[in-house]
């Protein structure tokens, strides 16, 4: 696990899954953030959000650009592990009982139909539409009771960033078991109801954001605008941290 751009990342996929398995052996709950460019941007502009993002086990890197930035600054090579990949990997592993929280009932029904084909055990799992509320108004004690009565090990949360990260941070103290994982638009991608993920060739060429803009122009253009405005400062700040760390080692 390493910290870049003020976010604690775990890039090793095997380590991600080993950490989940180990955490489920102990009492208490925890969570994993799936951090894309939007999460990175917001976390570095809002300290309380950065606290929520780093308040769990770690983040997996859902951005294809962050590994490029790290390679540019540090010369280190890492890969992306996007939300749709970790979601599919865990669901198809058939290792855990899961609960799916968030999105509309229509999306949840479509998602259940899709993932039940990957893993027949899912047919007996709960897909719960949460009320449309500000994050501070959820009844976290009631949600925790529902999760614990179900016995879920993995709790998938799809409320969109930054809401889903704050939600997990707030729910964590109330849960006695389970690992929550925030997966943003993944429920929609696999529901066959709303937007699917970008074609593979766009993803491989770091142009998925163009597809997202096409699907949700107003929302995604605003997000991309903030990323472009703040990116030079983030890159310079990380380069400066590298220089300071080098000077400290020489002392």
């Amino acid at each position: 696990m390493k910290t870049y751009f003020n976010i604690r990342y775990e890039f090793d996929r095997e380590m991600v899954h080993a950490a989940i398995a180990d955490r489920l052996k102990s009492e208490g709950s925890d969570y994993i953030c799936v951090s894309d460019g939007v999460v990175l941007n917001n976390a570095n502009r809002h300290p309380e959000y950065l606290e929520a993002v780093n308040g769990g086990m770690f983040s997996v890197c859902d951005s294809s650009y962050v590994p490029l930035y790290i390679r540019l600054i540090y010369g280190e090579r890492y890969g992306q592990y996007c939300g749709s990949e970790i979601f599919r990997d865990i669901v198809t592993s058939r290792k855990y009982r899961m609960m799916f929280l968030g999105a509309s009932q229509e999306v949840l029904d479509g998602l259940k139909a899709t993932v039940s084909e990957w893993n027949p055990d899912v047919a007996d799992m709960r897909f719960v539409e949460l009320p449309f509320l500000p994050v501070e108004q959820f009844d976290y004690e009631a949600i925790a009771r529902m999760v614990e009565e179900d016995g879920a090990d993995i709790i998938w949360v799809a409320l969109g960033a930054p809401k889903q990260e704050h939600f997990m941070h707030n729910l964590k103290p109330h849960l006695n078991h389970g690992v929550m994982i925030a997966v943003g638009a993944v429920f929609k991608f696999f529901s066959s109801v709303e937007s699917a993920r970008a074609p593979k060739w766009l993803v491989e060429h770091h142009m998925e954001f163009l597809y997202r803009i096409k699907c949700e122009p107003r929302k995604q253009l605003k997000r991309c605008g903030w990323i472009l405005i703040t990116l030079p400062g983030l890159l310079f700040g990380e380069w400066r941290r590298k220089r300071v760390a080098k000077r400290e080692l020489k002392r």
Side-chain angles (χ1 to χ4, degrees), residues 206-240:
H206 311 287
M207 293 191 294
E208 185 174 8
F209 70 95
L210 295 175
Y211 182 81
R212 301 293 294 274
I213 289 172
K214 174 181 175 294
C215 294
E216 301 174 296
R218 181 178 297 180
K219 177 180 177 181
Q220 298 301 331
L221 281 171
K222 182 179 179 180
R223 288 180 166 184
C224 289
W226 271 113
I227 290 171
L228 289 173
I229 291 168
T230 58
L231 181 59
L234 285 174
L235 293 174
F236 177 74
E238 194 66 21
W239 175 82
R240 186 169 57 186

Side-chain angles (χ1 to χ4, degrees), residues 26 40 55 62 84 88 93 97-98 104 106 114 153 156-158 186-187 196 206 223 226 235 244 246:
S26 305
L40 175 66
D62 190 31
S84 57
R88 187 158 194 157
S93 74
R97 180 163 183 82
M98 298 171 288
S104 67
E106 183 184 16
T114 298
D153 299 307
W156 298 104
V157 180
V186 167
F187 284 14
H206 311 287
R223 288 180 166 184
W226 271 113
L235 293 174
V244 170
K246 277 190 172 182

Side-chain angles (χ1 to χ4, degrees), residues 31-163:
Y31 61 88
I32 294 171
C33 296
V34 177
S35 296
D36 61 4
V38 175
V39 172
L40 175 66
N41 173 269
N42 278 304
N44 281 279
R45 290 192 295 118
H46 304 289
E48 73 284 358
Y49 183 49
L50 180 61
E51 180 182 354
V53 171
N54 284 337
M57 296 166 62
F58 47 74
S59 289
V60 296
C61 183
D62 190 31
S63 168
S64 65
Y65 283 95
V66 167
L68 295 179
Y69 303 151
I70 294 171
R71 183 179 173 187
L72 174 68
I73 296 170
Y74 293 96
E76 299 173 358
R77 294 176 179 268
Y78 297 107
Q80 177 187 20
Y81 195 16
C82 64
S84 57
E85 290 176 322
I86 190 172
F87 180 80
R88 187 158 194 157
D89 287 347
I90 291 177
V91 171
T92 57
S93 74
R94 301 186 70 174
K95 291 180 178 179
Y96 306 112
R97 180 163 183 82
M98 298 171 288
M99 181 177 284
F100 304 77
L101 301 180
S104 67
Q105 195 59 54
E106 183 184 16
V107 168
L108 291 171
D109 290 343
L111 178 68
K112 186 173 185 177
T114 298
V115 297
S116 293
E117 294 180 2
W118 307 346
N119 176 353
D121 303 335
V122 167
D124 188 42
M125 298 179 192
R126 294 193 65 181
F127 290 70
V128 181
E129 180 181 11
L130 295 174
F132 186 72
L133 294 171
V135 72
E136 64 274 6
Q137 293 183 16
F138 284 105
D139 187 342
Y140 290 102
E141 291 186 1
I143 294 171
R145 285 196 301 272
M146 174 184 67
V147 173
E148 288 171 2
E149 288 169 2
D150 181 82
D153 299 307
I154 303 294
I155 303 98
W156 298 104
V157 180
L159 295 172
K163 189 174 184 178

Side-chain angles (χ1 to χ4, degrees), residues 22 33 138 166 183:
D22 286 345
C33 296
F138 284 105
H166 283 300
V183 286

